[in-house]
Amino acid sequence: MTSFTRAVAAENSGNLEEARARYLEVLQAEPQNPRALHRLGMVELRLGRPREAVILFQKSLSIAKDLEVYLDFGAAMAAMARWDATAAVYAAALRVAPASVDAHYGLALALHRQGRPQDAEPHYRQVLATHSHLGEVHNNLGVALQDLGRFAEAAAAHREAARLDPADAAAWSKLGVVLHRMGQGVEAEAALRKAVGFAPQDADNWHNLTGLLDAAGRSAEAFAAGRLAVALDPASARNWLALGNAARAGERREEAWRAASAAVRLEPSDPAARNNLANALRDLGRLRDAVAHYRAALDLQPDFPVAEINLALLLSSLRDADGALAVLMALLARQPDNGEAWRRLGGVLAEAVRPDAAVAVLRKAVALGPGEPDVHADLAMAAAMAGWSSVSVDACRRVLRLVPDHAAALGQLVHQQRLVCYWRDLDRLEEALLRRVRAGAEGVSPFDVLSCASTLADQQSAAARWAAAKARGAVPVARPAAVVRDGRLRIGYLSADFREHAMGHLMVDALETHDRSHFAITAYSTGIDDGSALRRRFERGIERFVELRRHTDADAAQAITADGIDILVDLTGFTTFSRTSILAARPAPVQVNWLGYPGTLGAEYVDYIVADPTVIAPGEERNFTERVVRLPDCYQPNDRRRSIAEATPTRADCGLPADGFVFCCFNSAYKLTPALFDGWARILAAVPGSVLWLYAGNPQVIANLRREGEARGLESNRLVFAKPLPHAEHLARHRLADLFLDTLPYNAHTTASDALWAGLPVLTRRGTTFAGRVAASLLRAAGLPDLIVDDQEAYETAAVDLARSPDRLRDLRQRLARNRPDCPLFDTPRFTRHLEAAYRAMWDIRQGGGAPRPITIAAGDTGGPKSAIQGEGEAR
């Protein structure tokens, strides 16, 4: 037996040190023996000395180009994950033996591992040309094809592997993955179910199934599969990530956070894990911790658009618009064609109340993604904020072409068409909207429903879904265990409208008139400071004025709770700039809906709605999620200090004819309807020489209403349009009108109060909802109930009769003038005492341990001084 033979025997028996010594003996005698160099290289490799093995392989090949040496050398490089060197060795092997199946396969694997699937593909196919029975090669070819985006071919390759070995779990798993990417969810799930059936202990199979189920919206099943993947391989960060995604989709916030935290512990340098942890923290309301982890993800991977967009959106929600804009602008500097970044930039600008800039940005996003309905929807919203109704209408229509059942876009389309009095197809659109509301559609703004011919049940249905959406992610705040008190009931008023605004004019006097000996009043402002005299009056006239505009919803709720507010009154409802999510965090033990929104908020976290017997009739309580509190006169307050300019403009100044009866309606254009306009046309036709004076701040409204008037046989001079004026001057021009004609289904509210305060009688038709009965409530409180009618025929008859009866109209004006100083509508102290009695009743129920229940305040009931509160921490 030769030394070489003995060395081979020792190697084969596993006696590696002896084999090494024997091969060295051979090489001492024959330094250029290629076979000994080759075998010694293999021994060194098995002894864990790869560097020495490489040198020996290279020496052997320098002497003789042997295929076997190349193959072993390539395998050694592959074992060390030296894929570039591996590819070079196998390529050299193919120059020696072009038909070598092993060399082709080795080169294919090496190229694939280098991220070169297009170069690997021909080598996989070369192997299969002569060895088509190798399922593993079919699987690897399938993965390469999948990497190249050739999913149908990839699926065919995996199907062939599964055909060759029906129990090949890897083939079924890979087939399931590629079918999922092809959108063939049912077939993908069937394949993955086979994979887990054949290999139930393989965590990868459960991981893939988790992802599929999560994408299908089956979060509970995905969560169960993810838990199995984690149980089988708890050291895999990607399994924890998949579990966290499933948990988050199922709103299992704590589980999502724990899973993402585990992924970060296992892979602290994985930016995706950091991003997911930030998402979970955001869902838990830990917003600043989330910001830190988004930034950590970006430190690890600066070019990470998903994390950048997530960070920008979170900064925007934290009221850091400048920070959000900086993040998105940096992203767009690198990726100017990133449509999602443009879209989010538009959203941040809109949130920062820069709607014109938002529209410009969102137009860019639309150009990049014309088939994306969400982009058009965002453009529609920004354009509406900017007052560009025609742009908003066009964007809504594009959304509906892409997604015909998009209920939110339909609601906005209806409202925007109303805003400019574009009534073509309006009846059909409103009917479609109400059908969707009744079918349970999500995303319809309740305010859009108020102006339609909706029922109280429709309004409650839309509001309940909207309120539930606003509550998602809201974390209840804990009330302080002890609050230093002074014995007064603490009332907080939450509003975006402490400014030159209709609601501002209504409520300022009532808030100033509160009895400070028994009530501690705080105004929480979430709206802009417009610098107006009315804003300054709010700041001076209310005991505490707190600016919350730049607070997050969570921080605002915390601030209100920290102040120990007993009753929080929302004055904005679902109108512009509402912050309903603050209420969802329950910052006060009693929460009230009043004044700003004429309907139910549909929110379980709002206890009461302030109304009166007219706007919410007895028996209608079931359509209000809140408990109804009825004040004795009218739910609406008024400002006794509302000034009217002394100088009255001339008819010519206002574009009115020198003679003739002047009907007017200064309501917003969205309250006008085709049916209402039909009735107005009949009234004008019955009163020769009369005109209808309407408010129009938008040229489109004028053009559209003139066209509608012509279609009804009205000459263009029968319609006169009033331009915007300062409030005192606006009130003064009411003196030129003879009768205010109200609208339905949405009445005049502040505009009716303005008219009555200015001495102008208002004719209203009583509706069937809160929004349609407000003018009736005002007229009762003003002592003019005879101006309330119940049907359209009576409305038209009354309008014509009054126009033909100057004596009767003069009597109405005189009665209104006599009533104004002390009628309930304008007796703000009387109103405020009744409101305070309602607050006392709410609090007494709360202190007695009872659930909220309906409350009726009798005329003259002020509740007495029993409202003084005693409680833990009270200063005595």
Side-chain angles (χ1 to χ4, degrees):
M1 183 181 290
T2 66
S3 295
F4 185 82
T5 304
R6 285 194 294 272
V8 170
E11 182 185 354
N12 290 340
S13 66
N15 193 342
L16 300 180
E17 290 294 348
E18 180 183 348
R20 182 174 184 276
R22 298 289 184 186
Y23 285 130
L24 287 171
E25 287 177 8
V26 174
L27 288 169
Q28 189 171 11
E30 301 177 64
Q32 299 299 305
N33 185 324
R35 294 178 63 206
L37 289 166
H38 173 207
R39 297 318 311 167
L40 180 58
M42 292 302 296
V43 169
E44 295 286 16
L45 193 63
R46 292 175 67 184
L47 287 169
R49 293 195 279 264
R51 187 184 301 275
E52 289 81 353
V54 168
I55 293 170
L56 291 164
F57 290 142
Q58 290 171 334
K59 283 184 178 180
S60 175
L61 290 169
S62 68
I63 298 166
K65 308 299 185 188
D66 187 292
L67 176 62
E68 186 179 354
V69 179
Y70 276 117
L71 295 178
D72 286 342
F73 189 8
M77 293 294 96
M80 292 186 285
R82 294 271 307 279
W83 300 112
D84 52 345
T86 303
V89 171
Y90 283 124
L94 286 172
R95 288 193 289 274
V96 172
S100 171
V101 171
D102 290 330
H104 276 294
Y105 193 38
L107 180 55
L109 291 172
L111 291 169
H112 201 171
R113 288 299 190 104
Q114 289 183 77
R116 298 164 60 188
Q118 71 279 11
D119 296 326
E121 180 192 355
H123 295 285
Y124 284 134
R125 293 195 183 279
Q126 188 71 30
V127 175
L128 291 172
T130 56
H131 292 69
S132 61
H133 61 286
L134 297 176
E136 177 185 346
V137 184
H138 284 288
N139 276 332
N140 285 334
L141 172 62
V143 173
L145 292 167
Q146 187 177 167
D147 292 343
L148 291 169
R150 292 155 58 187
F151 300 132
E153 294 174 77
H158 295 311
R159 281 197 176 97
E160 180 61 14
R163 187 191 67 80
L164 291 167
D165 181 2
D168 183 352
W172 289 113
S173 183
K174 289 176 169 58
L175 176 60
V177 169
V178 73
L179 289 171
H180 182 202
R181 295 188 68 178
M182 293 171 69
Q184 299 179 19
V186 175
E187 297 89 340
E189 182 177 353
L192 290 173
R193 295 285 183 192
K194 286 189 176 183
V196 298
F198 288 125
Q201 300 304 309
D202 188 333
D204 283 348
N205 294 335
W206 290 106
H207 169 89
N208 292 336
L209 183 59
T210 301
L212 180 143
L213 294 169
D214 186 27
R218 293 155 62 184
S219 58
E221 295 172 78
F223 185 72
R227 291 184 69 178
L228 283 169
V230 162
L232 290 167
D233 187 2
S236 168
R238 77 185 198 120
N239 287 344
W240 285 105
L241 285 175
L243 177 63
N245 288 338
R248 185 167 184 250
E251 297 189 2
R252 300 169 181 256
R253 295 188 179 95
E254 290 289 339
E255 287 94 336
W257 167 67
R258 283 193 289 270
S261 298
V264 168
R265 283 195 300 272
L266 289 165
E267 294 286 353
S269 61
D270 181 357
R274 293 279 183 178
N275 178 71
N276 282 19
L277 178 55
N279 288 340
L281 289 164
R282 183 184 64 197
D283 292 344
L284 287 172
R286 295 169 56 184
L287 304 185
R288 286 171 180 79
D289 290 340
V291 168
H293 281 282
Y294 284 133
R295 293 199 185 280
L298 292 171
D299 287 342
L300 292 165
Q301 182 181 323
D303 187 6
F304 190 175
V306 170
E308 289 170 279
I309 288 172
N310 285 340
L311 174 59
L313 293 177
L314 181 53
L315 290 173
S316 180
S317 73
L318 287 167
R319 308 285 160 174
D320 182 5
D322 290 341
L325 292 173
V327 171
L328 290 170
M329 293 302 292
L331 170 56
L332 287 166
R334 296 193 322 272
Q335 297 184 8
D337 292 332
N338 188 320
E340 179 68 6
W342 283 108
R343 178 195 167 202
R344 298 304 187 178
L345 180 61
V348 170
L349 289 166
E351 185 73 21
V353 198
R354 296 172 57 187
D356 291 356
V359 169
V361 164
L362 288 165
R363 280 178 163 155
K364 174 71 172 178
V366 163
L368 290 167
E372 295 293 332
D374 288 345
V375 181
H376 291 287
D378 287 354
L379 175 59
M381 186 61 67
M385 290 179 64
W388 299 357
S389 290
S390 61
V391 175
S392 185
V393 164
D394 183 61
C396 288
R397 288 177 179 155
R398 289 178 181 272
V399 174
L400 291 167
R401 281 198 289 272
L402 293 166
V403 186
D405 61 349
H406 199 297
L410 178 59
Q412 188 170 345
L413 175 61
V414 166
H415 189 65
Q416 292 302 313
Q417 287 196 194
R418 277 184 168 281
L419 277 171
V420 293
C421 296
Y422 182 80
W423 295 335
R424 186 177 300 170
D425 281 342
L426 187 61
D427 289 343
R428 179 185 61 81
L429 293 172
E430 288 190 359
E431 289 171 5
L433 177 63
L434 291 176
R435 281 197 303 273
R436 293 183 189 178
V437 168
R438 290 161 189 166
E442 298 282 343
V444 178
S445 168
F447 190 81
D448 295 343
V449 178
L450 290 184
S451 303
C452 299
S454 56
T455 65
L456 289 173
D458 295 331
Q459 295 174 12
Q460 184 182 41
S461 178
R465 285 188 289 276
W466 192 264
K470 294 295 182 182
R472 288 182 194 130
V475 179
V477 291
R479 190 165 171 83
V483 177
V484 176
R485 311 193 64 99
D486 58 7
R488 297 184 297 167
L489 192 61
R490 298 188 180 195
I491 310 295
Y493 288 102
L494 179 69
S495 179
D497 300 326
F498 295 119
R499 55 191 172 95
E500 186 63 40
H501 185 275
M503 289 300 102
H505 283 288
L506 289 181
M507 63 187 165
V508 62
D509 196 3
L511 270 58
E512 291 172 331
T513 312
H514 270 302
D515 177 2
R516 293 192 182 182
S517 66
H518 292 99
F519 296 89
I521 306 301
T522 302
Y524 293 103
S525 175
T526 60
I528 61 170
D529 178 353
D530 61 357
S532 65
L534 188 58
R535 170 71 173 211
R536 301 286 87 84
R537 183 177 164 190
F538 275 116
E539 292 174 346
R540 291 191 306 269
I542 299 174
E543 185 173 350
R544 290 181 69 240
F545 191 94
V546 179
E547 177 60 69
L548 294 181
R549 183 183 170 209
R550 297 194 179 279
H551 284 56
T552 67
D553 292 340
D555 287 346
Q558 189 61 57
I560 293 167
T561 299
D563 286 342
I565 294 299
D566 301 309
I567 299 176
L568 180 63
V569 184
D570 179 40
L571 296 166
T572 308
F574 295 140
T575 60
T576 307
F577 306 123
S578 67
R579 298 281 295 276
T580 313
S581 295
I582 296 174
L583 297 172
R586 266 290 179 183
V590 176
Q591 301 193 149
V592 181
N593 168 21
W594 175 48
L595 192 59
Y597 184 77
T600 182
L601 296 184
E604 297 297 334
Y605 44 85
V606 178
D607 305 296
Y608 295 100
I609 181 170
V610 176
D612 60 53
T614 300
V615 292
I616 302 180
E620 293 179 340
E621 291 83 357
R622 66 183 179 280
N623 291 312
F624 291 81
T625 306
E626 310 90 337
R627 297 298 176 266
V628 177
V629 177
R630 291 185 177 88
L631 303 185
D633 305 312
C634 179
Y635 85 103
Q636 188 191 95
N638 274 279
D639 178 16
R640 297 164 297 165
R641 294 166 56 188
R642 213 172 346 176
S643 62
I644 304 175
E646 291 186 10
T648 302
T650 66
R651 280 195 167 207
D653 291 337
C654 296
L656 295 168
D659 300 304
F661 194 89
V662 178
F663 296 103
C664 88
C665 180
F666 292 148
N667 282 1
S668 296
Y670 72 84
K671 296 184 181 182
L672 277 56
T673 70
L676 180 76
F677 215 64
D678 290 341
W680 285 350
R682 290 190 290 268
I683 292 169
L684 291 174
V687 183
S690 64
V691 296
L692 178 59
W693 192 15
L694 301 170
Y695 175 80
N698 185 329
Q700 285 181 281
V701 173
I702 298 173
N704 287 334
L705 287 179
R706 287 205 185 281
R707 185 181 64 249
E708 293 292 340
E710 290 170 4
R712 290 163 174 80
L714 292 177
E715 296 178 1
S716 61
N717 62 359
R718 303 295 297 276
L719 298 179
V720 181
F721 295 95
K723 64 183 180 180
L725 285 178
H727 194 63
E729 296 175 35
H730 169 64
L731 290 177
R733 68 181 167 189
H734 281 73
R735 298 178 184 130
L736 300 177
D738 296 300
L739 180 66
F740 188 109
L741 295 178
D742 195 16
T743 52
L744 200 72
Y746 200 129
N747 280 174
H749 293 186
T750 308
T751 45
S753 285
D754 285 345
L756 295 171
W757 180 250
L760 177 62
V762 175
L763 175 65
T764 191
R765 177 182 164 192
R766 184 185 1 243
T768 58
T769 66
F770 191 135
R773 295 175 181 161
V774 170
S777 174
L778 301 177
L779 286 165
R780 287 188 181 282
L784 297 174
D786 38 333
L787 288 176
I788 305 167
V789 299
D790 287 319
D791 59 56
Q792 182 63 25
E793 183 179 354
Y795 175 82
E796 294 178 27
T797 299
V800 172
D801 287 349
L802 286 168
R804 293 171 175 172
S805 307
D807 292 342
R808 185 180 168 209
L809 195 59
R810 184 172 56 255
D811 288 344
L812 286 169
R813 282 183 174 276
Q814 290 173 350
R815 192 194 328 165
L816 180 56
R818 288 194 304 271
N819 291 351
R820 199 182 86 158
D822 54 10
C823 70
L825 182 61
F826 300 120
D827 187 346
T828 305
R830 170 190 172 100
F831 172 87
T832 307
R833 299 295 84 79
H834 289 147
L835 182 64
E836 290 171 345
Y839 291 155
R840 290 189 185 98
M842 295 174 198
W843 190 248
D844 287 345
I845 292 169
R846 167 77 185 189
Q847 290 295 81
R853 60 177 182 265
I855 296 170
T856 297
I857 302 299
D861 182 1
T862 64
K866 63 182 179 180
S867 63
I869 308 168
Q870 294 184 357
E872 187 175 357
E874 178 181 284
R876 297 175 183 270

